[in-house]
Amino acid sequence: HILWRDKLEEFLAASGGLRHISLLFLSTCYSEELAQIFIEHGCHHVLATRAKVHDTTARRFSQQLYYELGVNNNLLKAWEGATQALRIDPDETMARECMLFTFYGQRGAERATLDSLCGVDGSQHGSIGAGLSVRDFANAAAFLDMQLPARADSCLGRARLLHTLARTFCGPKGRRAVLFYGPRGIGKSTFATEFAHFATAPGRLFSCSPLRLKITSPDLVSIVTALEEQLE
């Protein structure tokens, strides 16, 4: 389906713009024009590409960008860090494409952190990165090989809830486990899947380390057996 520029602008204007969107990352080739449209319609920060970019380059840039945000660097530093990671990469293609990622809406980016982008006051609630040590770069290949269910298109507007849940695992008093419960059909599995993708992305809380257990019986032996099968 083709969405022409005038139709996109008409849709954005009719829906009230994008002032409620803090950050968009258009990880697709030749996306500068789209970025300009989204900025004009109120989005605070947009990352885009000025030309054709290989998938491996885009994944490496994304990995470093989210890593930088995950360890509490501001958005401007995260973009600069991701660009620098490509520049010094031994892969000549990545090094050559390092300057193809553009940043629209840099005003205020030096104050934009993962907390503020998610609409959370880290000074009152604690930061998602508080108490976390800077780890080595996560292996992007491990992330791509993760066997997680596909994300549901209907899971929208949950950024604040995802951030709140992630924060419960942070710090010395962070929780070791969280249980979702409620009546059937309210979206527990959908949200759990969304959180698994969010929290196990490279550089985040559980970087590239998800385990999905299919528990057929509620007894402890079955649960331990399923866990052992996953760890093998």
Side-chain angles (χ1 to χ4, degrees), residues 98-112:
C98 71
M99 299 307 296
L100 296 181
F101 293 86
T102 57
F103 186 2
Y104 290 86
Q106 292 190 26
R107 182 178 180 182
E110 73 282 356
R111 298 186 301 275

Side-chain angles (χ1 to χ4, degrees), residues 170-219:
C170 296
K173 295 183 179 181
R175 296 189 180 278
R176 302 291 297 275
V178 171
L179 173 67
F180 296 157
Y181 69 93
R184 190 170 187 168
I186 63 171
K188 299 185 300 297
S189 297
T190 297
F191 180 74
T193 299
E194 184 70 15
F195 180 74
H197 281 277
F198 173 82
T200 60
R204 289 186 178 169
L205 284 171
F206 306 106
S207 180
C208 301
S209 57
L211 288 177
R212 181 170 180 258
L213 307 183
K214 186 175 182 180
I215 300 172
T216 56
S217 176
D219 65 278

Side-chain angles (χ1 to χ4, degrees), residues 49-145:
T49 64
R50 66 173 83 246
K52 181 179 179 180
V53 173
H54 287 80
D55 289 347
T56 52
T57 304
R59 286 197 294 266
R60 181 69 182 91
F61 182 90
S62 302
Q63 174 195 13
Q64 189 64 27
L65 176 75
Y66 296 133
Y67 174 86
E68 298 280 349
L69 287 172
V71 296
N72 268 1
N73 283 329
N74 63 53
L75 181 56
L76 184 59
K77 279 190 175 182
W79 173 66
E80 292 172 343
T83 302
Q84 178 66 8
L86 295 181
R87 183 180 292 113
I88 64 177
D89 196 283
D91 187 313
E92 293 183 359
T93 299
M94 291 191 189
R96 187 170 58 250
E97 295 177 348
C98 71
M99 299 307 296
L100 296 181
F101 293 86
T102 57
F103 186 2
Y104 290 86
Q106 292 190 26
R107 182 178 180 182
E110 73 282 356
R111 298 186 301 275
T113 63
L114 185 58
D115 291 308
S116 65
L117 292 170
C118 291
V120 175
D121 185 355
S123 63
Q124 295 182 9
H125 302 285
S127 171
I128 191 173
L132 299 178
S133 60
V134 178
R135 295 166 292 182
D136 294 333
F137 294 153
N139 185 350
F143 176 66
L144 296 174
D145 291 338

